Coordinates of all heavy atoms in Angstrom, one line a residue:
M1 N 90.7 -191.6 -41.1 CA 91.9 -191.4 -42.1 C 91.3 -191.0 -43.5 O 90.5 -191.7 -44.0 CB 92.7 -192.7 -42.2 CG 93.8 -192.7 -43.1 SD 95.3 -191.8 -42.7 CE 95.9 -192.8 -41.3
P2 N 91.9 -189.9 -44.0 CA 91.5 -189.5 -45.4 C 91.7 -190.6 -46.4 O 92.7 -191.3 -46.2 CB 92.2 -188.3 -45.6 CG 93.0 -187.9 -44.4 CD 92.8 -189.1 -43.5
N3 N 91.1 -190.6 -47.6 CA 91.5 -191.4 -48.7 C 92.7 -190.9 -49.3 O 93.2 -189.8 -49.0 CB 90.3 -191.6 -49.6 CG 89.9 -190.4 -50.3 OD1 90.7 -189.6 -50.7 ND2 88.7 -190.1 -50.5
D4 N 93.3 -191.7 -50.1 CA 94.5 -191.4 -50.9 C 94.5 -190.0 -51.6 O 95.5 -189.3 -51.7 CB 94.9 -192.5 -51.8 CG 95.5 -193.7 -51.1 OD1 95.7 -193.5 -49.9 OD2 95.6 -194.8 -51.7
A5 N 93.3 -189.7 -52.2 CA 93.2 -188.4 -52.9 C 93.2 -187.2 -52.0 O 93.6 -186.1 -52.5 CB 91.8 -188.4 -53.7
T6 N 93.0 -187.4 -50.7 CA 93.0 -186.2 -49.9 C 94.1 -186.1 -48.8 O 94.2 -185.3 -48.0 CB 91.7 -186.0 -49.1 OG1 91.5 -187.2 -48.3 CG2 90.5 -185.9 -50.1
R7 N 95.0 -187.2 -48.9 CA 96.1 -187.1 -48.0 C 97.2 -186.1 -48.3 O 97.6 -186.0 -49.3 CB 96.8 -188.5 -48.0 CG 95.8 -189.6 -47.4 CD 96.5 -191.0 -47.6 NE 97.6 -191.0 -46.6 CZ 98.5 -192.1 -46.6 NH1 98.4 -193.1 -47.5 NH2 99.4 -192.0 -45.7
V8 N 97.5 -185.3 -47.3 CA 98.5 -184.2 -47.4 C 99.6 -184.5 -46.5 O 99.4 -184.6 -45.3 CB 97.8 -182.8 -47.3 CG1 98.9 -181.7 -47.4 CG2 96.7 -182.7 -48.3
H9 N 100.9 -184.4 -47.0 CA 102.1 -184.5 -46.2 C 102.9 -183.1 -46.4 O 102.8 -182.6 -47.5 CB 102.9 -185.6 -46.6 CG 102.4 -186.9 -46.3 ND1 103.2 -188.1 -45.9 CD2 101.1 -187.4 -46.2 CE1 102.5 -189.1 -45.7 NE2 101.1 -188.7 -45.8
A10 N 103.6 -182.8 -45.5 CA 104.4 -181.5 -45.6 C 105.9 -181.9 -45.4 O 106.2 -182.9 -44.7 CB 104.2 -180.6 -44.5
V11 N 106.7 -181.2 -46.2 CA 108.2 -181.5 -46.0 C 108.9 -180.2 -45.5 O 108.6 -179.1 -46.1 CB 108.9 -181.9 -47.4 CG1 110.3 -181.9 -47.3 CG2 108.2 -183.2 -47.9
V12 N 109.6 -180.2 -44.5 CA 110.3 -179.1 -44.0 C 111.8 -179.4 -44.1 O 112.3 -180.4 -43.6 CB 110.0 -178.9 -42.5 CG1 110.8 -177.7 -41.8 CG2 108.5 -178.6 -42.4
V13 N 112.5 -178.6 -44.7 CA 114.0 -178.7 -44.8 C 114.6 -177.8 -43.9 O 114.4 -176.6 -43.9 CB 114.5 -178.5 -46.2 CG1 116.1 -178.6 -46.4 CG2 113.8 -179.4 -47.3
A14 N 115.4 -178.3 -42.9 CA 116.0 -177.5 -41.8 C 117.5 -177.5 -41.9 O 118.1 -178.5 -42.1 CB 115.6 -178.1 -40.4
W15 N 118.1 -176.3 -41.7 CA 119.5 -176.2 -41.6 C 119.7 -175.2 -40.3 O 119.3 -174.1 -40.4 CB 120.1 -175.6 -42.9 CG 121.6 -175.3 -42.8 CD1 122.5 -176.2 -42.9 CD2 122.2 -174.0 -42.6 NE1 123.7 -175.7 -42.7 CE2 123.5 -174.3 -42.6 CE3 121.7 -172.7 -42.4 CZ2 124.5 -173.3 -42.3 CZ3 122.6 -171.8 -42.2 CH2 124.0 -172.0 -42.2
R16 N 120.3 -175.8 -39.3 CA 120.6 -175.0 -38.0 C 119.3 -174.2 -37.6 O 119.4 -173.0 -37.5 CB 121.8 -174.0 -38.3 CG 123.1 -174.8 -38.6 CD 124.2 -173.9 -39.1 NE 124.5 -173.1 -38.0 CZ 125.4 -172.1 -38.0 NH1 126.1 -171.9 -39.1 NH2 125.6 -171.2 -37.0
P17 N 118.3 -175.0 -37.5 CA 117.0 -174.3 -37.1 C 117.0 -173.6 -35.7 O 117.6 -174.1 -34.8 CB 116.0 -175.4 -37.1 CG 116.8 -176.7 -36.7 CD 118.1 -176.4 -37.3
D18 N 116.2 -172.5 -35.6 CA 115.9 -171.9 -34.3 C 114.9 -172.7 -33.6 O 113.9 -173.1 -34.2 CB 115.4 -170.5 -34.6 CG 115.0 -169.8 -33.3 OD1 115.9 -169.2 -32.6 OD2 113.8 -169.8 -33.0
R19 N 115.2 -173.0 -32.3 CA 114.2 -173.9 -31.6 C 112.8 -173.4 -31.6 O 111.9 -174.2 -31.9 CB 114.8 -174.1 -30.2 CG 114.0 -175.0 -29.3 CD 114.6 -174.9 -27.8 NE 115.9 -175.2 -27.8 CZ 116.4 -176.4 -27.5 NH1 115.6 -177.4 -27.2 NH2 117.7 -176.7 -27.5
S20 N 112.6 -172.2 -31.2 CA 111.2 -171.8 -31.0 C 110.6 -171.6 -32.4 O 109.3 -171.9 -32.6 CB 111.2 -170.5 -30.3 OG 111.8 -169.5 -31.0
D21 N 111.2 -171.2 -33.4 CA 110.6 -171.2 -34.7 C 110.2 -172.5 -35.2 O 109.2 -172.7 -35.8 CB 111.6 -170.5 -35.8 CG 111.7 -169.0 -35.5 OD1 111.0 -168.3 -34.7 OD2 112.7 -168.5 -36.2
L22 N 111.1 -173.5 -35.1 CA 110.9 -174.8 -35.6 C 109.6 -175.4 -34.8 O 108.8 -176.0 -35.4 CB 112.1 -175.7 -35.4 CG 111.9 -177.2 -35.9 CD1 111.6 -177.2 -37.4 CD2 113.1 -178.0 -35.6
Q23 N 109.6 -175.2 -33.5 CA 108.5 -175.9 -32.7 C 107.2 -175.2 -33.1 O 106.2 -175.9 -33.2 CB 108.8 -175.7 -31.3 CG 109.9 -176.6 -30.7 CD 110.1 -176.4 -29.3 OE1 109.6 -175.7 -28.6 NE2 111.1 -177.2 -28.8
A24 N 107.2 -173.9 -33.4 CA 105.9 -173.2 -33.7 C 105.6 -173.6 -35.2 O 104.3 -173.9 -35.3 CB 106.2 -171.7 -33.7
L25 N 106.4 -173.8 -36.1 CA 106.1 -174.3 -37.4 C 105.5 -175.6 -37.4 O 104.4 -175.9 -38.0 CB 107.4 -174.2 -38.3 CG 107.2 -174.8 -39.6 CD1 106.3 -174.0 -40.6 CD2 108.5 -174.9 -40.4
L26 N 106.2 -176.5 -36.7 CA 105.6 -177.9 -36.6 C 104.2 -177.9 -35.9 O 103.3 -178.7 -36.4 CB 106.6 -178.8 -35.8 CG 108.0 -179.1 -36.4 CD1 108.9 -179.9 -35.6 CD2 107.7 -179.7 -37.8
Q27 N 104.0 -177.2 -34.9 CA 102.7 -177.1 -34.3 C 101.7 -176.7 -35.3 O 100.6 -177.3 -35.4 CB 102.7 -176.0 -33.2 CG 101.5 -176.0 -32.3 CD 101.3 -177.2 -31.5 OE1 102.2 -177.8 -31.1 NE2 100.0 -177.6 -31.2
R28 N 101.9 -175.7 -36.1 CA 101.0 -175.2 -37.1 C 100.8 -176.3 -38.2 O 99.6 -176.6 -38.7 CB 101.3 -173.9 -37.8 CG 101.2 -172.8 -36.8 CD 101.4 -171.4 -37.5 NE 102.7 -171.3 -38.1 CZ 103.8 -170.8 -37.6 NH1 103.8 -170.4 -36.3 NH2 104.9 -170.7 -38.2
L29 N 101.8 -176.9 -38.7 CA 101.7 -177.8 -39.8 C 101.0 -179.2 -39.3 O 100.2 -179.6 -40.1 CB 103.1 -178.2 -40.3 CG 103.8 -177.2 -41.2 CD1 105.2 -177.7 -41.5 CD2 103.0 -177.1 -42.5
Q30 N 101.3 -179.6 -38.2 CA 100.7 -180.9 -37.7 C 99.2 -180.8 -37.5 O 98.5 -181.8 -37.7 CB 101.4 -181.4 -36.5 CG 102.8 -182.0 -36.7 CD 103.4 -182.6 -35.5 OE1 103.7 -181.9 -34.5 NE2 103.5 -183.9 -35.4
S31 N 98.8 -179.6 -37.4 CA 97.2 -179.4 -37.3 C 96.5 -179.4 -38.7 O 95.3 -179.4 -38.8 CB 96.9 -178.1 -36.5 OG 97.3 -177.0 -37.2
Q32 N 97.4 -179.3 -39.7 CA 96.8 -179.0 -41.1 C 97.1 -180.2 -42.0 O 96.5 -180.3 -43.1 CB 97.5 -177.9 -41.8 CG 97.3 -176.6 -41.0 CD 97.9 -175.4 -41.7 OE1 97.9 -175.2 -42.9 NE2 98.6 -174.6 -40.9
V33 N 98.1 -181.1 -41.7 CA 98.4 -182.2 -42.6 C 98.5 -183.6 -41.9 O 98.5 -183.6 -40.6 CB 99.8 -181.9 -43.3 CG1 99.8 -180.7 -44.1 CG2 101.0 -181.9 -42.2
E34 N 98.5 -184.6 -42.6 CA 98.5 -186.0 -41.9 C 99.9 -186.3 -41.4 O 100.1 -186.9 -40.5 CB 98.2 -187.0 -43.0 CG 98.1 -188.4 -42.5 CD 97.7 -189.4 -43.6 OE1 96.8 -189.0 -44.4 OE2 98.1 -190.4 -43.5
H35 N 100.9 -185.8 -42.2 CA 102.4 -186.2 -41.8 C 103.3 -185.1 -42.1 O 103.2 -184.4 -43.2 CB 102.7 -187.5 -42.5 CG 103.9 -188.2 -41.9 ND1 103.8 -189.2 -41.0 CD2 105.2 -188.0 -41.8 CE1 104.9 -189.6 -40.5 NE2 105.8 -188.9 -41.0
V36 N 104.3 -184.8 -41.2 CA 105.3 -183.8 -41.5 C 106.7 -184.6 -41.6 O 107.0 -185.3 -40.7 CB 105.4 -182.7 -40.4 CG1 106.5 -181.8 -40.7 CG2 104.1 -182.0 -40.3
W37 N 107.4 -184.3 -42.6 CA 108.8 -184.9 -42.8 C 109.7 -183.8 -42.7 O 109.6 -182.8 -43.4 CB 108.8 -185.6 -44.2 CG 107.9 -186.7 -44.5 CD1 106.6 -186.5 -45.0 CD2 108.0 -188.0 -44.3 NE1 106.0 -187.7 -45.0 CE2 106.9 -188.7 -44.6 CE3 109.1 -188.7 -43.7 CZ2 106.6 -190.0 -44.5 CZ3 108.9 -190.1 -43.7 CH2 107.7 -190.8 -44.0
I38 N 110.6 -183.9 -41.7 CA 111.7 -182.9 -41.5 C 112.9 -183.5 -42.0 O 113.4 -184.6 -41.6 CB 111.8 -182.7 -39.9 CG1 110.5 -182.3 -39.3 CG2 112.9 -181.5 -39.8 CD1 110.5 -182.2 -37.8
V39 N 113.5 -182.8 -42.9 CA 114.8 -183.2 -43.5 C 115.9 -182.3 -42.9 O 115.8 -181.0 -43.0 CB 114.9 -183.1 -45.0 CG1 116.2 -183.4 -45.6 CG2 113.8 -183.8 -45.6
D40 N 116.6 -182.9 -42.0 CA 117.7 -182.1 -41.3 C 119.0 -182.1 -42.1 O 119.7 -183.0 -42.3 CB 118.0 -182.7 -39.9 CG 118.8 -181.8 -39.1 OD1 119.4 -180.8 -39.5 OD2 119.0 -182.1 -37.9
N41 N 119.3 -180.9 -42.7 CA 120.5 -180.7 -43.5 C 121.8 -180.2 -42.7 O 122.6 -179.6 -43.3 CB 120.2 -179.8 -44.7 CG 119.8 -180.4 -45.9 OD1 119.9 -181.6 -46.1 ND2 119.3 -179.6 -46.9
T42 N 121.6 -180.3 -41.4 CA 122.6 -179.7 -40.5 C 123.8 -180.8 -40.2 O 123.5 -181.9 -39.9 CB 122.0 -179.3 -39.2 OG1 120.8 -178.4 -39.5 CG2 122.9 -178.5 -38.3
S43 N 124.9 -180.3 -40.2 CA 126.1 -181.2 -39.9 C 126.0 -181.4 -38.4 O 125.6 -180.5 -37.7 CB 127.3 -180.5 -40.3 OG 127.5 -180.4 -41.7
P44 N 126.6 -182.5 -38.0 CA 126.6 -182.8 -36.5 C 127.3 -181.7 -35.7 O 128.3 -181.1 -36.2 CB 127.4 -184.1 -36.4 CG 127.2 -184.8 -37.7 CD 127.1 -183.6 -38.8
G45 N 126.7 -181.3 -34.6 CA 127.2 -180.3 -33.7 C 126.9 -178.9 -34.1 O 127.4 -177.9 -33.5
E46 N 126.1 -178.7 -35.1 CA 125.8 -177.3 -35.5 C 124.3 -176.9 -35.2 O 123.8 -176.1 -35.9 CB 125.9 -177.2 -37.1 CG 127.3 -177.2 -37.6 CD 127.3 -176.9 -39.0 OE1 126.4 -177.2 -39.8 OE2 128.3 -176.2 -39.5
G47 N 123.7 -177.5 -34.3 CA 122.3 -177.1 -33.9 C 121.3 -178.0 -34.7 O 120.4 -177.5 -35.3
Q48 N 121.5 -179.2 -34.6 CA 120.6 -180.2 -35.4 C 119.2 -180.1 -34.9 O 118.9 -179.7 -33.8 CB 121.2 -181.5 -35.3 CG 122.5 -181.7 -36.0 CD 123.1 -183.1 -35.7 OE1 123.6 -183.2 -34.6 NE2 123.0 -184.0 -36.6
V49 N 118.3 -180.6 -35.7 CA 116.9 -180.6 -35.3 C 116.6 -181.4 -34.0 O 115.9 -180.9 -33.2 CB 116.0 -181.2 -36.5 CG1 114.6 -181.5 -36.0 CG2 116.1 -180.3 -37.7
E50 N 117.3 -182.5 -33.9 CA 117.1 -183.3 -32.7 C 117.3 -182.6 -31.4 O 116.7 -182.8 -30.4 CB 118.0 -184.6 -32.7 CG 117.7 -185.6 -33.7 CD 118.6 -186.7 -33.7 OE1 119.8 -186.5 -34.1 OE2 118.2 -187.9 -33.5
A51 N 118.3 -181.6 -31.4 CA 118.5 -180.7 -30.2 C 117.4 -179.7 -30.0 O 117.3 -179.2 -28.9 CB 119.9 -180.1 -30.3
C52 N 116.7 -179.4 -30.9 CA 115.6 -178.4 -31.0 C 114.3 -178.9 -30.4 O 113.4 -178.1 -30.1 CB 115.4 -177.7 -32.3 SG 116.7 -176.8 -32.9
L53 N 114.1 -180.3 -30.5 CA 112.8 -180.9 -30.1 C 112.9 -181.9 -29.0 O 113.9 -182.6 -28.9 CB 112.2 -181.5 -31.3 CG 111.9 -180.6 -32.6 CD1 111.5 -181.5 -33.7 CD2 110.9 -179.7 -32.2
P54 N 111.9 -181.9 -28.1 CA 111.9 -182.9 -27.0 C 111.8 -184.3 -27.7 O 111.2 -184.4 -28.6 CB 110.7 -182.6 -26.2 CG 110.2 -181.3 -26.7 CD 110.8 -181.0 -28.0
P55 N 112.5 -185.2 -27.1 CA 112.6 -186.6 -27.7 C 111.2 -187.2 -27.9 O 110.9 -187.9 -28.8 CB 113.3 -187.4 -26.6 CG 114.2 -186.4 -25.9 CD 113.4 -185.1 -25.9
D56 N 110.2 -186.9 -26.9 CA 108.9 -187.4 -27.1 C 108.2 -186.8 -28.3 O 107.3 -187.5 -29.0 CB 108.0 -187.2 -25.9 CG 107.9 -185.8 -25.4 OD1 108.8 -185.0 -25.6 OD2 106.7 -185.4 -25.1
R57 N 108.6 -185.6 -28.7 CA 108.0 -185.0 -29.9 C 108.4 -185.7 -31.1 O 107.7 -185.9 -32.1 CB 108.4 -183.5 -29.9 CG 107.8 -182.8 -31.1 CD 106.5 -182.3 -30.7 NE 105.8 -181.6 -31.8 CZ 105.7 -180.3 -32.0 NH1 106.2 -179.5 -31.1 NH2 105.0 -179.8 -33.0
L58 N 109.7 -186.2 -31.1 CA 110.1 -186.9 -32.3 C 109.6 -188.3 -32.5 O 109.7 -188.9 -33.6 CB 111.7 -186.9 -32.3 CG 112.4 -185.6 -32.5 CD1 113.9 -185.7 -32.2 CD2 112.1 -185.1 -33.9
R59 N 108.9 -188.8 -31.4 CA 108.3 -190.1 -31.5 C 106.8 -190.0 -31.8 O 106.1 -191.0 -31.8 CB 108.6 -190.8 -30.3 CG 110.0 -191.3 -30.1 CD 110.2 -192.2 -28.9 NE 109.9 -191.6 -27.6 CZ 110.8 -190.9 -26.9 NH1 112.1 -190.9 -27.3 NH2 110.5 -190.4 -25.7
Q60 N 106.3 -188.8 -32.0 CA 104.9 -188.7 -32.2 C 104.5 -189.2 -33.6 O 105.2 -189.1 -34.6 CB 104.4 -187.2 -32.2 CG 104.4 -186.5 -30.8 CD 104.0 -185.1 -31.0 OE1 104.1 -184.5 -32.0 NE2 103.5 -184.6 -29.9
P61 N 103.3 -189.9 -33.7 CA 102.8 -190.2 -35.0 C 102.6 -189.0 -35.9 O 102.3 -188.0 -35.3 CB 101.5 -191.0 -34.7 CG 101.3 -191.0 -33.3 CD 102.3 -190.1 -32.7
G62 N 102.8 -189.1 -37.1 CA 102.7 -188.0 -38.0 C 103.8 -187.1 -38.1 O 103.8 -186.0 -38.7
L63 N 105.1 -187.6 -37.6 CA 106.2 -186.7 -37.7 C 107.5 -187.6 -37.8 O 107.6 -188.5 -37.1 CB 106.4 -185.9 -36.3 CG 107.6 -185.0 -36.2 CD1 107.4 -183.8 -37.3 CD2 107.8 -184.3 -34.8
S64 N 108.2 -187.3 -38.8 CA 109.3 -188.2 -39.1 C 110.6 -187.2 -39.4 O 110.5 -186.2 -40.0 CB 109.2 -189.1 -40.3 OG 108.2 -190.0 -40.1
L65 N 111.7 -187.6 -38.8 CA 113.0 -186.8 -39.0 C 113.9 -187.6 -39.9 O 114.2 -188.8 -39.6 CB 113.6 -186.6 -37.6 CG 115.0 -185.9 -37.6 CD1 114.8 -184.5 -38.2 CD2 115.5 -185.8 -36.2
L66 N 114.4 -187.0 -40.9 CA 115.3 -187.7 -41.9 C 116.7 -186.9 -41.8 O 116.8 -185.8 -42.3 CB 114.7 -187.6 -43.3 CG 113.4 -188.1 -43.4 CD1 112.8 -187.8 -44.9 CD2 113.4 -189.6 -43.3
C67 N 117.6 -187.4 -41.0 CA 118.9 -186.7 -40.7 C 119.9 -187.0 -42.0 O 120.1 -188.2 -42.4 CB 119.5 -187.2 -39.5 SG 118.6 -186.8 -38.0
Q68 N 120.3 -186.0 -42.6 CA 121.3 -186.1 -43.6 C 122.8 -185.9 -43.2 O 123.7 -186.2 -43.9 CB 121.0 -185.1 -44.7 CG 119.5 -185.2 -45.2 CD 119.2 -186.6 -45.6 OE1 119.9 -187.3 -46.4 NE2 118.2 -187.3 -44.9
H69 N 123.0 -185.3 -42.1 CA 124.3 -185.0 -41.5 C 125.2 -184.1 -42.2 O 126.4 -184.1 -42.0 CB 125.0 -186.3 -41.1 CG 124.2 -187.2 -40.3 ND1 123.9 -186.9 -39.0 CD2 123.6 -188.4 -40.5 CE1 123.1 -187.8 -38.4 NE2 122.9 -188.8 -39.3
R70 N 124.6 -183.4 -43.1 CA 125.3 -182.3 -43.9 C 124.3 -181.7 -44.8 O 123.2 -182.1 -45.0 CB 126.5 -183.0 -44.7 CG 125.9 -183.8 -45.8 CD 127.0 -184.4 -46.7 NE 126.3 -185.1 -47.7 CZ 126.9 -185.8 -48.7 NH1 128.2 -185.7 -48.7 NH2 126.2 -186.3 -49.5
N71 N 124.7 -180.4 -45.2 CA 123.8 -179.6 -46.0 C 123.9 -180.2 -47.5 O 125.0 -179.9 -48.2 CB 124.2 -178.2 -45.9 CG 123.2 -177.2 -46.5 OD1 122.4 -177.7 -47.4 ND2 123.3 -175.9 -46.3
L72 N 122.8 -180.7 -47.9 CA 122.8 -181.2 -49.3 C 122.1 -180.2 -50.2 O 121.9 -180.4 -51.4 CB 122.1 -182.5 -49.3 CG 122.6 -183.6 -48.5 CD1 121.7 -184.9 -48.5 CD2 124.0 -184.0 -49.1
G73 N 121.6 -179.1 -49.7 CA 120.9 -178.1 -50.5 C 119.4 -178.2 -50.4 O 118.9 -179.3 -50.1
I74 N 118.7 -177.1 -50.6 CA 117.4 -177.1 -50.4 C 116.6 -178.0 -51.3 O 115.7 -178.8 -51.0 CB 116.8 -175.6 -50.5 CG1 115.4 -175.5 -50.1 CG2 116.9 -175.0 -51.9 CD1 115.1 -175.6 -48.6
A75 N 117.0 -178.1 -52.6 CA 116.3 -178.9 -53.6 C 116.5 -180.4 -53.3 O 115.5 -181.1 -53.3 CB 116.7 -178.6 -55.0
T76 N 117.6 -180.8 -53.0 CA 117.9 -182.1 -52.6 C 117.2 -182.5 -51.3 O 116.6 -183.6 -51.2 CB 119.4 -182.4 -52.4 OG1 120.0 -182.1 -53.7 CG2 119.6 -183.9 -52.0
G77 N 117.1 -181.6 -50.3 CA 116.4 -181.8 -49.2 C 114.9 -182.0 -49.4 O 114.3 -183.0 -48.9
F78 N 114.2 -181.2 -50.2 CA 112.9 -181.4 -50.6 C 112.6 -182.8 -51.3 O 111.6 -183.4 -51.1 CB 112.3 -180.3 -51.4 CG 111.9 -179.1 -50.5 CD1 112.5 -177.9 -50.6 CD2 111.0 -179.2 -49.5 CE1 112.1 -176.8 -50.0 CE2 110.6 -178.1 -48.8 CZ 111.2 -176.9 -48.9
N79 N 113.5 -183.1 -52.2 CA 113.4 -184.4 -52.9 C 113.5 -185.5 -52.0 O 112.8 -186.5 -52.2 CB 114.5 -184.5 -54.0 CG 114.1 -183.7 -55.2 OD1 113.0 -183.5 -55.6 ND2 115.2 -183.2 -55.9
I80 N 114.4 -185.5 -51.0 CA 114.5 -186.5 -50.0 C 113.2 -186.7 -49.2 O 112.7 -187.8 -49.0 CB 115.7 -186.3 -49.0 CG1 117.0 -186.5 -49.8 CG2 115.5 -187.2 -47.8 CD1 118.2 -185.9 -49.1
G81 N 112.6 -185.6 -48.8 CA 111.3 -185.6 -48.1 C 110.2 -186.1 -48.9 O 109.3 -186.9 -48.5
L82 N 110.2 -185.7 -50.2 CA 109.1 -186.1 -51.1 C 109.2 -187.5 -51.4 O 108.2 -188.2 -51.4 CB 109.2 -185.3 -52.5 CG 108.3 -185.7 -53.6 CD1 106.9 -185.5 -53.1 CD2 108.6 -184.9 -54.8
R83 N 110.4 -188.1 -51.6 CA 110.5 -189.5 -51.8 C 110.1 -190.4 -50.6 O 109.4 -191.3 -50.7 CB 112.0 -189.9 -52.1 CG 112.4 -189.5 -53.5 CD 113.8 -190.0 -53.8 NE 114.3 -189.3 -55.0 CZ 115.3 -188.4 -54.8 NH1 115.9 -188.2 -53.7 NH2 115.7 -187.7 -55.9
A84 N 110.3 -189.9 -49.3 CA 109.9 -190.5 -48.1 C 108.3 -190.4 -48.1 O 107.7 -191.5 -47.8 CB 110.5 -189.8 -46.9
A85 N 107.8 -189.3 -48.4 CA 106.3 -189.3 -48.3 C 105.7 -190.2 -49.4 O 104.7 -190.9 -49.1 CB 105.9 -187.8 -48.6
L86 N 106.2 -190.2 -50.5 CA 105.7 -191.1 -51.6 C 105.8 -192.6 -51.2 O 104.9 -193.4 -51.4 CB 106.4 -190.9 -52.9 CG 105.9 -189.5 -53.6 CD1 106.9 -189.3 -54.8 CD2 104.5 -189.4 -54.0
A87 N 106.9 -192.9 -50.6 CA 107.2 -194.3 -50.2 C 106.3 -194.7 -49.0 O 106.0 -195.9 -48.9 CB 108.6 -194.5 -49.7
A88 N 105.8 -193.7 -48.3 CA 104.9 -194.0 -47.2 C 103.5 -194.2 -47.7 O 102.6 -194.5 -47.0 CB 105.0 -192.9 -46.1
G89 N 103.2 -193.9 -48.9 CA 101.9 -194.0 -49.5 C 101.1 -192.8 -49.7 O 100.1 -192.7 -49.8

């Protein structure tokens, strides 16, 4: 595990993501960072992140899904992910 000075987390804000694009993005990011925070800004029934990823993928270490259940905007989404990453250390 890297020390605190070298820990890198990524925040992905998703709104009605394309399944294959999201899976490819996560694959690339997870090989480069310690943790990926996905902020889902999609309203229920509109193609949420959970529907795009296999359930076992969402339980992997180094990946967290933060469901907002509506579109809060890109800046708010990034702030939610940043706060979660900071709270995790």
Side-chain angles (χ1 to χ4, degrees):
M1 174 77 68
N3 66 38
D4 287 344
T6 60
R7 295 177 67 190
V8 177
H9 289 212
V11 175
V12 174
V13 179
W15 178 76
R16 298 172 59 182
D18 176 80
R19 179 184 307 260
S20 60
D21 288 346
L22 180 62
Q23 289 180 2
L25 173 66
L26 293 177
Q27 184 73 27
R28 287 191 302 272
L29 281 175
Q30 285 186 290
S31 68
Q32 299 176 48
V33 299
E34 182 178 326
H35 199 98
V36 178
W37 300 88
I38 306 169
V39 180
D40 190 353
N41 266 348
T42 306
S43 298
E46 286 190 329
Q48 294 170 282
V49 169
E50 288 177 300
C52 293
L53 299 173
D56 61 322
R57 182 80 186 262
L58 291 172
R59 290 188 294 271
Q60 285 182 338
L63 183 66
S64 295
L65 177 60
L66 306 169
C67 295
Q68 304 310 301
H69 303 296
R70 64 181 184 180
N71 188 344
L72 300 173
I74 190 78
T76 299
F78 277 120
N79 283 327
I80 289 166
L82 177 61
R83 284 187 201 109
L86 289 171

